[in-house]
Amino acid sequence: QVQLVESGGGLVQAGGSLRLSCAASGRTFSTYYMGWFRQAPGKEREFVATINGSGGSTYYADSMKGRFTISRDSAKNTVYLQMNSLKPEDTAVYYCAAVRSLGVVTTDRAYPYWGQGTQVTVSS
């Protein structure tokens, strides 16, 4: 079992930055791929980024490449999402998720563990 708690959301102006954090419980954090997803009002949840257990491999949705950076700190059992050059269309609830996998997973249904989400609002 893995429990995930996100933090760091808030209100930011377009062009600004935010860093989201996701703290995970458990001693096997390094065995999980960690992912970030987001869900805007009236839209389906979409994949943002994922990182492997060691932190050496990352994968991003095309629309996030170059603006968002996923990273993890195994000593702190925490995964981060640094978001730069934010746009109003980035407004959504952001969720972190965990899955044991041998490779990249971008489908939300494949992730068994989820945090409660943190709201990000980007004003124009």
Side-chain angles (χ1 to χ4, degrees):
Q1 281 280 350
V2 177
Q3 292 185 327
L4 305 172
V5 179
E6 301 99 333
S7 61
L11 174 64
V12 64
Q13 289 187 334
S17 299
L18 278 176
R19 188 177 80 157
L20 306 183
S21 299
C22 174
S25 65
R27 295 176 292 178
T28 59
F29 177 67
S30 63
T31 66
Y32 289 86
Y33 263 82
M34 301 297 296
W36 284 98
F37 291 79
R38 69 184 187 183
Q39 188 167 21
K43 295 187 177 181
E44 293 186 352
R45 189 160 52 190
E46 68 171 332
F47 168 75
V48 173
T50 187
I51 188 167
N52 70 344
S54 69
S57 178
T58 58
Y59 184 82
Y60 298 89
D62 286 343
S63 60
M64 283 43 140
K65 287 180 183 177
R67 298 193 300 126
F68 291 7
T69 303
I70 189 171
S71 61
R72 65 193 295 164
D73 184 336
S74 294
K76 296 181 178 180
N77 274 16
T78 300
V79 64
Y80 304 97
L81 185 69
Q82 177 68 42
M83 305 185 294
N84 299 327
S85 302
L86 284 163
K87 306 173 183 179
E89 51 264 43
D90 293 318
T91 295
V93 177
Y94 284 71
Y95 299 90
C96 73
V99 61
R100 276 200 168 122
S101 173
L102 297 178
V104 169
V105 180
T106 62
T107 304
D108 59 351
R109 288 189 298 272
Y111 285 77
Y113 304 109
W114 291 84
Q116 83 287 352
T118 186
Q119 176 71 46
V120 171
T121 303
V122 184
S123 63
S124 58

